[in-house]
Amino acid sequence: MQSFSYEKAQSVEQATGTTGKFIAGGTTLVDLMKLGVETPTQLVDVTALPLAQVETLPNGGLRIGAMVRNSDLAHHPAVGKDYAVLSEALLSGASPQLRNMATTGGNLLQRTRCPYFRDPSYSNCNKRNPGSGCAAIGGHNRMMAILGTSDACIATHPSDMCVALTALEATIQVEGPKGKRSIAIADFYKLPGTTPNVENALEPGELITYVDLPAPRKASKQVYLKLRDRASYEFALASAAVVAEVSGGHVRAVQIALGGVGTRPWRAHEAEAALTGKPATAAHFRAAAEDALKGAKPSSENGFKVELAKRCIVRAMTMASA
Amino acid sequence: MATQTTPPSQSNVIGRSVARIDGPLKTTGTAQYAADFHFPNMAHAVPVQSTIASGRIEKLDAAAAQSMPGVLLVLHHGNMDKLYRVVPNDFSATTSEARPPFEDRTIYYWGQYVAVVVAETLEQATAAAAAVKVEYSQTPAKLSTNLGDYAGKRPSVSQRGDAEKAFAAAPIKVDQTYVTPAETHNPIEMHATVAAWEGDSVTLYETSQGVVNHRYAMAQVLGIPRENVTVVTRFLGSGFGGKLFPWPHSALAAVASRRLQRPVKLSVNRTMMFSNVGHRPLCEQRFQLGATTDGKLLSLRQDYINHTSLIDDIDEGCGEATTYLYSVPSLTVTRALAQRNVGTPSPMRGPGAVPGLFAMESAMDELAVALNMDPVELRLRNDATKDESNGQPFSSRHLKECIETGAAKFGWKQRTPAVGSMRRDGRVLGWGMAAASWGAYRFPCAATVALEVDGRVTVRCATQDVGTGTYTIFAQVLQEKTGLPFERIGVHLGDTSMPEGPMSGGSWATASVLPAVSSAADSVVKTLLQVANSTAGSPFAGVDPAKLQLTAGRVHQAGEPAETGVPFEKLIAMARLSRISADGNTTAIFEDPKAKGLSLHSFGAQFVEVEWEPQIARLRVSRVVTVIDGGRIINPKAAANQIKGAVVMGVGMGLLEQTVYDPRTGQPINGNMADYLMATCPDTPEIDVTFLDYPDLAMGEYGARGIGEIGLAGVAPAIASAVYHATGVRVRTLPVRIEDLLQSRIREA
C-alpha cells in the first residue's frame, strides 16, 4: 500500500471541494488498496457527513442517506415494510461484519470481484490499465458476466443492493463542484464497451448524497432471489429482483433486475415487456426468462449461468405471484 | 505401559466429556500462537513471489527496495546463506519441499519465493517487497488442469488374484474414472515463523504439527547441531496436515534473523497459503469393480494418479483404504505421479484415504444401482473378516455395526431407491451412504511427569495440541492417576526442550501420548509412596509402600479414607525435595508384540441427506449421521467436536472446495476466503455423531485409536450418492456443482 493523506470532511462542500478519493465504510477501497489495485494519494473520509438518515419524501418515496450502513438500511422499518426487495438483497450480501461497515453510497460504487482486476500482477486489465487488454477472457471465467460484456471486459457487477435498486427504479442524488444533480439508476452504470475503466456517470469530485426510492405501489409484491454455490458469504451466480403487481391471475406491471450475470446491475426490459398484461403462469415466466437472456454471451466456463438466470427469474416471478 | 503396580483409577475421567482445559486461554485471546510472539527490536520479513510458473530468474533488481524506508535486508538467490537439504526418506527429519529456498534460479511453480525483504515494520517490508524487480525467461509450464494425458509408468501398490481376468468374466461391472480437485488446507491460523538467535543457537516460534521433526529438519537445513535449534509451538489454530513439516519460510526467517542478529517475524498471508504451504493434489482414479449378480465382489482394480511438483515426488496414496475395506478375491492397485508446475503437495486430512474412498465408495454406489440392490446391503455382503491384503486379523473391526447403527439412526429403512422418489416440504430428498476407514498408528513418545512441592502435578512433552484437545488428554490421565482437579494440573507442550513427543498427524497423537504419560505418572506415584515410607517424620515412615496409595492428592493407608492421609506436597516438603519426577515412554506400534500380526484400522459409516430444489438447482446437505469405530474415546466432547468439524469439511469437499489454477499462468486464482469456497455455518447440516467405543487393546491400556481424519472419510461419496439419488446426476468430478445439477431431468419437486 502506498502512502496517502487522510482527512475527515465535515461538510459536503468540504468533501466535494477536494481532489481526494472518498472513503466511507472502506470495505472495497481498503481491500483494493492493500492489493495495490487502488493507489490513492489522498483519502477524504465522508462518514461524518450528515447523510446517515432514512426519511420519507413528500411524494411518499424514501430518501436514503449515502452514509446509511447496509445493516441499518436492511433493518429499517420503512424498508422492511415497503421495499422488502431491498432489505432481502442487502441481507443476502457479504457478511454481517461487512454490512455493518458498508454504506449505501459505497455499495453503489462497489468494484468487481474479477480476480484479474484484483491482481496487479496481471498487467492486462482494461479497467486498471485502459487499452491493456483483458486477462479474464481466456482465463478462469466461471464467475464472469454473460450480459453486457465486450471484447474489452467481462467482469461482473457484484452488488446485490444495486440489483434491488435497479428494480425499484431508484434515483441517485449527487453533489459536486458544479452543483447538485439527479441520475436515474438506469443511467448511472455504464456498459464496459471499449472503456471498462469508466464504470458510472459520476464526474470528478461528485459525491453520492442520497438514493431516492419512488413511492411504493400498494399492490406490488417484491422478491429478491439469490442463487449461489454456498448458503452464505458468496457473490451471486445469478440473482433476480422482482417488483410485480399481479392481480386476477395477470401480471399488471413488473420490474425485473438481474445480478451476478451482467457487467452492471441488469434491468430485464425484454422480460418485463413479455410479461406485462400476460397471465401469471409458469409458461409465461419461462418465455419471459428466455427473452431476458437472449443476448447472453457466455464464456467457456459460465454457460450454466444462462439457464440458472432463467430459472431464477421463473422462481422469483412465481414467488411474486403467489 | 500398564503393570501390576498400576494404582486403581482415581475417577472416571477417562472416557468422560470434559471441556478443553485450554479453552479459556483461547476465548480470552491469551493463548499465544506463532505470530503472537513479539520481541524487542523484532524485524518483519515479507517474501516476494514468482509471477510465472516455469522458467528462470534472469535478473533480480533489489536496489529500489533496498533504499526504501526501514528496509534492512533483501535476500535472494544471489546473496543467500548456504542452506542444505535433509537426508531423503529420513522420517525423523522431513521437510515439505526438498529444495531449500533460493537454491537455484529456476522457477518451479507460480508463487515460489524469489526474494524476501526484511524491514523495521511489516508495512515497510510489504511496500519494499512490491518494489523488487524480477525479470524472468519463461519456459512452457505443465499446469495441473487435468492429468488425462499421463502416459508414464503405473507401478503396482497392491496385488492379489487376477483382477483383469476376474473383471472380464464378471457378470456385473462398474468401470468409471473419478476426479478430486486440488484443495488447499485453510486452517484459521496462517503459517508464521518468528526466529530469534542467541549466539549460534536459534529459537523458532512456529505453527508446527511436529515440533521435534521441525527441529531435526531445520538443524539439517541450517547446517547446525540439533541442540542449537529450539522449536516452540504453544498453540495451533489447526493445520489439517499442512503444518506437519517445515516450509521454506521457516528457513527464510531463520537466515534473515541470523544476518541481522535480530528477531525476525515472517507471516505467510492467506493468498500465499494457496501456493507455498501445500495442498491436496488433483487425483484421477479409474475404478473397475466386478461382481456377481447377487452383489459379491469378484474383482477390484484402482489405477490412480496424482499431480506432484517438479521438486518432490509426493504420492497421495489413494489406495490407503482400498485393499482391506471389502472382501474381494482379485485386486490390483496401481499408482502414478504426474509432475506439474505446482507447489509441493502435502498430506491433508485423511491423505489418500479421503480421495480414494470418494472413488471407491462412489463406484460401490454405482454398483448398487447396477445391481438394483440397497447400498447398505451391498456393503454388508462384502464385509471383510480379515485384512485380505496381508491375511492378518483386524485388531478391532466393527464396520458392520457402524453401518447398521448408522442405518438405524438415519432411518434408512424408509428410503425408496428410485431417483427423485422422496419428497419433503416441496423439496426432493436424496439419501446416500458410504463406509470409511483410516489406519491406526502409535509412534514413540517420551513425557516427564512431576509431583511438585507446590501441590501441583505437571507433565512435559514436546508434542503439540493442534487444537483438538491434546492438552486435555494429558490432564485427564494425570487426574485419573492422582485425583487432582484440573486447576492443579499443569500441562506443558510444544517446546523441543522437553522430552520428545509425536507429531500431531495421522490421528495418532492420542494413542501415542497416552502410554508415556500413564507410565510416567505410575512411576512418579510409586516413588512418592517410597518417599512416604522412607522420610523421617512421615506418618507413613516404615509403612510398606505397597500398603499406601494416593487418592485425591493425599497419601494414605490402603483401605482407609483419603481424608486420613497427608497431602502429597507435605511429604515432598518433609523430604526436602522440590519435586518427584519420572519419565515415561511409548514404543512404536510396529515394535509392540501385542500388535504384531494385527491389522489396525478405524472404521466408520456416513449417512447423508440432501435437499434438492430442482426449479432453482439449489442443493444443500441437510442431515448427516456419522458412526465411528475409533477405539475407546478418551474425551467424547472433544472427539465429537472433531468429527463434526470433519463432516463440515466433507460438505466443503463434496460441494464447494477446489483450488483453481489459472489455465495460462498456473496461479491459484481463487486464493482468498471469498473465492475459495468452504462451508459456512448456514451450509452446516444437522450432524449426529455416534462412537461405538470399543477399546482396541492392541493400541495400549486405554484402547484409544484416534479420530479426526476418519470423520472426513466417506462424507464426499455419501454426498455424491445422495445427489444421484435426488437428481439422477452422477457426479464423478468433485465438487458437485450447480453446473452438474442443472443436467437433472427432475424439474419439479
Side-chain angles (χ1 to χ4, degrees):
Chain A
M1 198 188 291
Q2 76 171 39
S3 298
F4 55 88
S5 69
Y6 169 89
E7 63 189 292
K8 200 161 195 169
Q10 300 304 324
S11 68
V12 172
E13 295 71 33
Q14 190 193 340
T16 56
T18 71
T19 55
K21 194 161 188 77
F22 302 133
I23 181 166
T27 54
T28 294
L29 182 57
V30 174
D31 203 18
L32 293 177
M33 286 169 70
K34 287 201 263 184
L35 293 168
V37 174
E38 292 273 12
T39 54
T41 54
Q42 186 188 9
L43 284 187
V44 179
D45 184 341
V46 292
T47 53
L49 302 184
L51 300 172
Q53 296 80 36
V54 177
E55 54 208 332
T56 307
L57 290 167
N59 68 3
L62 203 67
R63 168 158 288 191
I64 302 159
M67 292 306 118
V68 175
R69 305 282 173 173
N70 283 179
S71 45
D72 293 336
L73 184 59
H75 295 293
H76 193 279
V79 174
K81 182 169 154 284
D82 293 326
Y83 306 97
V85 65
L86 177 57
S87 181
E88 288 169 17
L90 284 162
L91 293 176
S92 75
S95 64
Q97 295 89 335
L98 287 165
R99 295 197 293 269
N100 286 342
M101 287 299 289
T103 62
T104 309
N107 195 325
L108 283 163
L109 300 180
Q110 195 179 153
R111 308 298 299 276
T112 180
R113 285 291 304 189
C114 173
Y116 303 98
F117 166 73
R118 289 169 56 83
D119 187 342
S121 76
Y122 292 85
S123 58
N124 47 338
C125 172
N126 289 321
K127 272 191 191 297
R128 278 190 279 106
N129 308 317
S132 63
C134 174
I137 295 173
H140 174 52
N141 55 48
R142 180 173 184 262
M143 298 296 287
M144 299 296 170
I146 55 172
L147 289 167
T149 57
S150 72
D151 292 343
C153 186
I154 56 172
T156 312
H157 193 280
S159 172
D160 293 297
M161 182 191 84
C162 303
V163 178
L165 291 180
T166 298
L168 288 167
E169 300 189 319
T171 302
I172 295 160
Q173 306 292 351
V174 306
E175 199 168 327
K178 294 179 200 159
K180 300 181 184 180
R181 62 184 180 123
S182 303
I183 310 171
I185 195 160
D187 302 325
F188 187 75
Y189 294 106
K190 301 292 176 195
L191 286 172
T194 55
T195 55
N197 53 310
V198 182
E199 295 182 349
N200 57 56
L202 288 178
E203 297 287 337
E206 277 188 329
L207 175 75
I208 297 170
T209 49
Y210 302 97
V211 174
D212 291 349
L213 302 181
R217 286 202 305 268
K218 284 284 173 264
S220 83
K221 265 197 94 168
Q222 304 180 6
V223 170
Y224 188 74
L225 177 66
K226 180 173 181 177
L227 304 182
R228 48 183 160 182
D229 298 296
R230 67 178 168 187
S232 173
Y233 191 53
E234 188 189 359
F235 295 92
L237 293 169
S239 72
V242 167
V243 178
E245 264 181 75
V246 180
S247 64
H250 282 67
V251 179
R252 307 295 170 189
V254 65
Q255 287 129 237
I256 301 174
L258 304 178
V261 289
T263 52
R264 62 179 187 185
W266 198 261
R267 181 76 182 266
H269 290 292
E270 302 87 344
E272 294 171 5
L275 280 170
T276 307
K278 298 281 166 43
T281 63
H284 279 97
F285 299 157
R286 180 71 198 191
E290 297 288 345
D291 286 352
L293 274 295
K294 227 169 228 163
K297 273 203 237 164
S299 303
S300 59
E301 297 171 353
N302 62 7
F304 73 98
K305 280 189 173 187
V306 179
E307 173 62 19
L308 192 68
K310 289 177 189 172
R311 295 204 196 179
C312 193
I313 293 169
V314 172
R315 172 58 82 90
M317 280 306 302
T318 307
M319 291 163 76
S321 322
Chain B
M1 301 302 295
T3 67
Q4 69 267 34
T5 59
T6 304
S9 172
Q10 296 274 343
S11 64
N12 59 353
V13 67
I14 301 292
R16 201 177 74 213
S17 278
V18 294
R20 281 177 277 177
I21 61 169
D22 49 328
L25 287 176
K26 292 177 175 175
T27 51
T28 56
T30 39
Q32 272 194 298
Y33 293 83
D36 293 332
F37 284 90
H38 297 278
F39 298 100
N41 206 31
M42 188 173 77
H44 296 263
V46 171
V48 179
Q49 296 180 278
S50 162
T51 55
I52 64 166
S54 178
R56 192 181 135 83
I57 301 168
E58 291 302 337
K59 197 177 160 208
L60 190 146
D61 180 2
Q66 191 79 61
S67 65
M68 285 171 69
V71 173
L72 302 165
L73 178 68
V74 182
L75 288 171
H76 48 80
H77 172 68
N79 66 356
M80 187 62 177
D81 289 9
K82 176 74 185 159
L83 293 175
Y84 303 87
R85 295 188 172 214
V86 297
V87 176
N89 303 316
D90 171 1
F91 297 111
S92 70
T94 303
T95 54
S96 298
E97 275 188 31
R99 173 187 180 273
F102 311 161
E103 190 183 60
D104 54 30
R105 289 171 168 271
T106 308
I107 300 299
Y108 300 92
Y109 59 93
W110 193 99
Q112 180 180 321
Y113 300 142
V114 294
V116 63
V117 177
V118 192
E120 295 287 350
T121 69
L122 175 62
E123 291 76 10
Q124 289 168 336
T126 304
V132 174
K133 295 191 196 82
V134 189
E135 287 173 26
Y136 304 96
S137 56
Q138 261 183 276
T139 48
K142 285 193 284 183
L143 301 181
S144 189
T145 43
N146 76 79
L147 308 175
D149 59 347
Y150 179 80
K153 282 188 297 189
R154 290 187 176 269
S156 171
V157 175
S158 187
Q159 169 87 47
R160 59 180 185 258
D162 186 338
E164 202 174 336
K165 212 166 135 191
F167 180 74
I172 309 289
K173 296 183 174 78
V174 170
D175 183 355
Q176 295 292 351
T177 297
Y178 303 87
V179 180
T180 49
E183 290 183 295
T184 299
H185 318 72
N186 267 296
I188 190 73
E189 182 202 13
M190 295 179 281
H191 290 248
T193 301
V194 179
W197 288 83
E198 205 175 308
D200 48 14
S201 293
V202 66
T203 301
L204 300 170
Y205 300 87
E206 290 283 351
T207 173
S208 168
Q209 290 177 248
V211 290
V212 173
N213 175 78
H214 201 104
R215 175 196 215 187
Y216 281 40
M218 290 309 295
Q220 291 191 38
V221 169
L222 294 169
I224 60 176
R226 181 192 307 163
E227 54 272 24
N228 290 15
V229 179
T230 302
V231 177
V232 175
T233 297
R234 296 285 184 211
F235 297 97
L236 282 126
S238 204
F240 305 118
K243 297 173 177 175
L244 287 169
F245 319 111
W247 291 99
H249 66 265
S250 187
L252 293 181
V255 170
S257 173
R258 183 167 60 190
R259 281 281 187 97
L260 295 170
Q261 289 296 302
R262 294 171 62 167
V264 168
K265 178 190 291 189
L266 192 160
S267 294
V268 178
N269 70 29
R270 184 65 65 181
T271 296
M272 287 179 196
M273 281 176 56
F274 283 79
S275 48
N276 298 65
V277 290
H279 58 276
R280 194 199 294 282
L282 171 66
C283 303
E284 288 190 10
Q285 307 173 59
R286 182 174 177 191
F287 255 88
Q288 291 169 296
L289 298 180
T292 64
T293 50
D294 59 353
K296 182 70 198 75
L297 284 173
L298 295 169
S299 72
L300 188 165
R301 184 182 175 106
Q302 176 189 23
D303 301 291
Y304 74 82
I305 177 169
N306 65 263
H307 84 212
T308 187
S309 65
L310 299 184
I311 302 170
D312 298 277
D313 284 344
I314 303 294
D315 179 359
E316 172 69 8
C318 295
E320 211 281 335
T322 310
T323 60
Y324 60 83
L325 193 59
Y326 296 118
S327 175
V328 54
S330 292
L331 177 144
T332 295
V333 178
T334 70
R335 66 183 176 90
L337 296 179
Q339 291 195 315
R340 292 290 187 266
N341 288 97
V342 293
T344 295
S346 62
M348 179 168 168
R349 209 173 203 172
V354 164
L357 281 164
F358 168 69
M360 180 157 73
E361 289 298 275
S362 292
M364 286 294 277
D365 196 67
E366 297 206 53
L367 181 60
V369 171
L371 288 160
N372 197 19
M373 180 180 283
D374 187 284
V376 163
E377 177 58 27
L378 177 64
R379 267 72 172 196
L380 297 180
R381 268 188 207 190
N382 290 285
D383 194 29
T385 52
K386 63 174 185 200
D387 183 337
E388 294 181 4
S389 73
N390 53 24
Q392 293 177 341
F394 292 105
S395 59
S396 174
R397 170 176 165 131
H398 303 90
L399 176 60
K400 192 161 172 270
E401 188 176 337
C402 286
I403 293 172
E404 286 170 341
T405 304
K409 292 197 98 175
F410 190 80
W412 187 260
K413 265 195 310 202
Q414 321 299 319
R415 183 179 188 265
T416 53
V419 163
S421 62
M422 296 176 71
R423 309 285 161 120
R424 185 176 66 210
D425 301 337
R427 289 169 188 174
V428 182
L429 297 183
W431 285 8
M433 59 81 59
S437 71
W438 179 251
Y441 310 93
R442 196 184 75 207
F443 283 95
C445 175
T448 302
V449 171
L451 291 162
E452 307 277 354
V453 71
D454 67 0
R456 292 168 61 78
V457 59
T458 58
V459 59
R460 289 181 155 71
C461 178
T463 187
Q464 52 288 310
D465 188 335
V466 76
T468 50
T470 305
Y471 274 106
T472 310
I473 289 219
F474 278 89
Q476 284 176 275
V477 175
L478 293 185
Q479 182 170 99
E480 191 216 13
K481 298 291 185 183
T482 66
L484 291 177
F486 285 151
E487 300 79 56
R488 287 171 65 190
I489 295 172
V491 184
H492 304 279
L493 310 179
D495 185 330
T496 53
S497 54
M498 300 192 278
E500 292 185 357
M503 281 194 177
S504 304
S507 301
W508 63 61
T510 296
S512 302
V513 303
L514 285 172
V517 191
S518 168
S519 64
D522 288 344
S523 299
V524 112
V525 171
K526 194 174 165 194
T527 307
L528 171 70
L529 301 182
Q530 282 160 358
V531 167
N533 156 287
S534 62
T535 299
S538 158
F540 307 112
V543 178
D544 179 0
K547 296 201 168 122
L548 295 174
Q549 69 186 58
L550 175 70
T551 308
R554 300 168 86 93
V555 176
H556 61 100
Q557 299 254 18
E560 300 289 329
E563 296 74 52
T564 63
V566 177
F568 76 85
E569 61 271 26
K570 284 209 171 150
L571 290 167
I572 291 176
M574 266 178 223
R576 291 178 243 175
L577 304 174
S578 66
R579 67 176 63 91
I580 296 170
S581 70
D583 295 341
N585 286 286
T586 303
T587 55
I589 193 79
F590 50 81
E591 291 171 353
D592 187 341
K594 275 192 194 162
K596 198 171 158 60
L598 294 175
S599 179
L600 301 146
H601 296 278
S602 287
F603 296 92
Q606 310 279 4
F607 288 80
V608 166
E609 175 185 278
V610 299
E611 288 183 349
W612 161 237
E613 294 176 77
Q615 298 93 332
I616 52 172
R618 178 183 283 166
L619 185 129
R620 303 281 184 248
V621 178
S622 47
R623 198 158 64 91
V624 176
V625 170
T626 299
V627 184
I628 302 294
D629 171 27
R632 189 174 182 203
I633 301 302
I634 306 300
N635 182 353
K637 183 175 181 169
N641 177 63
Q642 273 216 71
I643 298 297
K644 286 178 185 172
V647 168
V648 175
M649 202 172 190
V651 172
M653 180 182 179
L655 301 179
L656 302 169
E657 292 193 44
Q658 177 176 14
T659 305
V660 178
Y661 300 98
D662 179 86
R664 301 148 307 177
T665 63
Q667 176 185 8
I669 202 70
N670 58 343
N672 61 70
M673 299 288 260
D675 296 329
Y676 181 88
L677 302 180
M678 292 183 287
T680 64
C681 290
D683 295 294
T684 301
E686 180 190 320
I687 305 169
D688 178 344
V689 179
T690 301
F691 295 110
L692 295 186
D693 215 27
Y694 289 110
D696 186 343
L697 296 175
M699 295 296 295
E701 80 176 278
Y702 295 103
R705 268 202 302 255
I707 44 165
E709 344 248 334
I710 185 77
L712 176 59
V715 178
I719 291 173
S721 299
V723 165
Y724 175 79
H725 183 226
T727 69
V729 179
R730 177 66 68 180
V731 180
R732 302 187 184 91
T733 298
L734 288 182
V736 175
R737 291 203 292 200
I738 288 173
E739 290 90 316
D740 305 309
L741 301 173
L742 284 167
Q743 308 305 314
S744 173
R745 294 215 185 108
I746 294 170
R747 303 294 282 266
E748 299 292 333

